Amino acid sequence: MNYRTFNVNEVASAAKDLLPHAGTSILILLAALAGGILMGLLLTFLLHARSPVLSLIARIYLRVLRGAPAVVLLLLVFYGLPVLFSLIGIGTLTQTNRLFAVILTFALMASAQMANVFTAAYGAIPKNQLEAAKAVGYTVRNRFFHVWLPQGLRLALPNLANTATWLLKEGAVAYTIGVLDLVGHAQLRISSQYGGGAVETYTALALIFFVLIRLIEVLFHGLERRASVHLVKGAGSGGR
Amino acid sequence: MAANAFVTTIREIIPGLPLTLVLTAVPLVLALVPGVLLGYLRSRGRLAYYLTGAYVTLFRSLPVVLQILFAYSWLPSLLAGLAAARGWTVDVFAISPVWYAIAVLFFNTLAALIEVYRSAFSAVPAREVEAARAAGFAESRVFIQVRLPQAFMFALPNLASATVNLVRMSALAYLMTVPEMTGRARMAAGLTFDTITAYGVLLLAYVALCFLIDSAYDLIYGRFMRRLHGTAGVRGLT
């Protein structure tokens, strides 16, 4: 008989063990999101660049990232980075580099998503605003920082929330290269009990993920509301 | 040496391709019909909206990795317990992990398809449904001749994304010791000690596969659009 019983107390104790390690998962998420936004902005510029070579490079990059499974990209970055580093002549593989490999991988994944998000946001901003700004003498930089970015970020917020929850979920593969995030610690806990309490530990993990994702959604929903406070009737930002 | 590793890697990965295709096609085909029906219900009834919503939220809140770990540690013992209680004579532990992988991928794909079809059915213009009703179409005919073809067309780009996501998800089946492309690339890496070649080739294989899938969907989309605009002219003049 190989049937195990489900122990609710064990779920609570697993949750208590795992919760302190949510920090690592959140750190990976935030760093990857920040990196993804920056790279995504750059990618959006390349995509819409006048030079056909630059936009071709950006499109190939997006193509590759569209078909890349997170776990495969992670393995490639993890094993490829030390080679890249030794070519430049710095560093060896350590735990920090593991974390760095994870963050870099998911920043790359996020950048492709963000490029699509920003492209959509770019299309949603009325062109007459940019033309008006140009007509009154705004430089390219001013148009970007004072017209495009504030509205683009607001329009991108709902998709940013999606990207954030997606990153948190995809980030769960980080444990496969030995990063001790939530999943990594769950695996440690199970193996320290010789495979005991696996179902309970995974249940606790599922609950933690569920709560974290709801938290991200609530947070972004609040941000969206704050960002659109000025959009009262009659004072719309959409021009006339 | 590098060229040798390259050849070995390709030789190892290619036998994994059929399994990757099975892990993509089977869940997709299984989820297609229930996805359309539940997506339609989700776009209509209030109760159906909340029930399907709960299902979608559940699967969208759990990392696929976690679902796979869950299924792999829990399903066999659950089935074994069930088999023992019912007196079945199947050896549950002999069931191939491929089936567990297909189950996990199916549930996730169904969640994705429900959302794809919900938005697709919502995008069908209400005036066309009303016109069909006014012309005396029965509800079943309205569904089959007016709603479904348009919803399918609206759904196609998102269906392409769902399929590509499914291919990417299937890479995680190696965690269940399923020897699909990723699992076999790991073996190749163990054989050649050239991890970069192994995972580089693997990445290119996935990218090429997803590119082919996207192109196929583009082709279907183009045909479908021409047909819808050309003959019936349903959305012709808008």
Side-chain angles (χ1 to χ4, degrees):
Chain A
M1 193 76 174
N2 216 312
Y3 185 63
R4 286 185 247 126
T5 48
F6 188 80
N7 185 346
V8 178
N9 290 333
E10 178 68 13
V11 176
S13 122
K16 214 185 285 172
D17 288 351
L18 294 181
L19 213 48
H21 305 294
T24 314
S25 293
I26 294 172
L27 170 75
I28 293 171
L29 164 69
L30 290 180
L33 197 61
I37 289 174
L38 287 179
M39 284 196 264
L41 275 175
L42 183 71
L43 205 54
T44 313
F45 279 117
L46 290 182
L47 210 54
H48 297 276
R50 288 230 181 81
S51 150
V53 180
L54 289 181
S55 83
L56 183 70
I57 291 172
R59 267 181 297 157
I60 291 173
Y61 177 88
L62 287 178
R63 247 312 150 204
V64 170
L65 265 290
R66 177 168 167 91
V71 68
V72 176
L73 193 64
L74 180 61
L75 288 168
L76 190 62
V77 169
F78 179 59
Y79 289 109
L81 265 188
V83 176
L84 204 66
F85 277 1
S86 71
L87 281 181
I88 311 168
I90 38 167
T92 47
L93 202 69
T94 63
Q95 179 66 27
T96 23
N97 287 0
R98 273 170 213 267
L99 201 59
F100 180 69
V102 168
I103 290 171
L104 180 63
T105 302
F106 288 101
L108 291 173
M109 306 257 319
S111 72
Q113 294 246 326
M114 292 318 296
N116 291 331
V117 169
F118 286 137
T119 302
Y122 178 74
I125 293 171
K127 291 290 154 292
N128 54 5
Q129 287 191 14
L130 291 169
E131 282 159 17
K134 206 174 184 176
V136 293
Y138 275 41
T139 60
V140 174
R141 209 177 61 198
N142 280 336
R143 266 179 280 156
F144 173 72
F145 281 108
H146 296 293
V147 183
W148 194 82
L149 196 62
Q151 298 190 75
L153 279 182
R154 179 172 59 78
L155 291 167
L157 268 178
N159 286 322
L160 199 60
N162 280 341
T163 307
T165 56
W166 173 80
L167 271 181
L168 185 66
K169 282 186 296 170
E170 293 276 309
V173 299
Y175 88 92
T176 54
I177 60 160
V179 169
L180 291 174
D181 63 342
L182 277 169
V183 189
H185 275 283
Q187 297 291 68
L188 266 188
R189 186 176 190 277
I190 292 164
S191 60
S192 75
Q193 300 178 1
Y194 305 104
V199 177
E200 287 87 350
T201 307
Y202 290 142
T203 308
L205 195 55
L207 289 173
I208 292 172
F209 267 105
F210 197 83
V211 170
L212 281 178
I213 283 173
R214 288 291 91 75
L215 272 178
I216 293 173
E217 282 175 354
V218 168
L219 193 77
F220 273 95
H221 197 69
L223 274 178
E224 262 171 67
R225 282 175 57 181
R226 284 199 72 155
S228 44
V229 152
H230 65 288
L231 293 178
V232 251
K233 266 205 174 115
S237 72
R240 306 197 59 187
Chain B
M1 194 181 83
N4 200 3
F6 189 73
V7 173
T8 313
T9 303
I10 290 179
R11 279 210 185 129
E12 277 293 312
I13 289 179
I14 284 176
L17 180 64
L19 253 181
T20 293
L21 293 177
V22 164
L23 289 175
T24 307
V26 174
L28 187 69
V29 169
L30 287 178
L32 219 50
V33 172
V36 169
L37 294 178
L38 291 173
Y40 176 64
L41 289 176
R42 184 157 161 72
S43 76
R44 310 285 301 160
R46 185 172 271 260
L47 181 68
Y49 177 81
Y50 287 116
L51 285 179
T52 49
Y55 174 82
V56 170
T57 307
L58 180 69
F59 278 94
R60 286 200 155 181
S61 304
L62 297 180
V64 182
V65 177
L66 183 54
Q67 293 176 38
I68 280 178
L69 293 173
F70 229 118
Y72 203 46
S73 69
W74 180 58
L75 272 183
S77 69
L78 187 78
L79 287 176
L82 205 67
R86 294 284 172 90
W88 294 341
T89 50
V90 261
D91 182 10
V92 168
F93 295 98
I95 296 177
S96 162
V98 172
W99 292 108
Y100 295 125
I102 286 177
V104 170
L105 296 173
F106 164 74
F107 287 123
N108 282 282
T109 305
L110 182 59
L113 289 197
I114 289 175
E115 280 305 90
V116 166
Y117 277 107
R118 179 195 57 80
S119 70
F121 277 112
S122 312
V124 175
R127 59 191 149 87
E128 290 183 18
V129 173
E130 283 156 20
R133 280 187 189 141
F137 280 35
E139 275 308 307
S140 58
R141 204 172 154 205
V142 172
F143 181 78
I144 292 170
Q145 294 193 342
V146 180
R147 289 192 207 268
L148 200 56
Q150 294 196 65
F152 182 67
M153 190 192 72
F154 292 139
L156 267 175
N158 291 330
L159 221 51
S161 295
T163 311
V164 166
N165 282 339
L166 182 54
V167 172
R168 292 162 45 161
M169 256 192 264
S170 76
L172 294 170
Y174 90 85
L175 295 170
M176 290 179 162
T177 68
V178 174
E180 42 68 75
M181 289 205 298
T182 305
R184 299 204 56 110
R186 290 182 69 92
M187 285 186 244
L191 281 176
T192 62
F193 299 108
D194 190 344
T195 43
I196 297 170
T197 304
Y199 299 130
V201 170
L202 180 65
L203 185 73
L204 287 180
Y206 276 109
V207 171
L209 182 58
C210 291
F211 178 73
L212 285 178
I213 290 172
D214 273 329
S215 308
Y217 271 102
D218 278 349
L219 210 69
I220 298 172
Y221 190 67
R223 289 240 166 133
F224 208 74
M225 281 281 266
R226 266 201 300 282
R227 204 157 166 191
L228 215 58
H229 284 276
T231 57
V234 184
R235 299 176 53 73
L237 294 169
T238 49

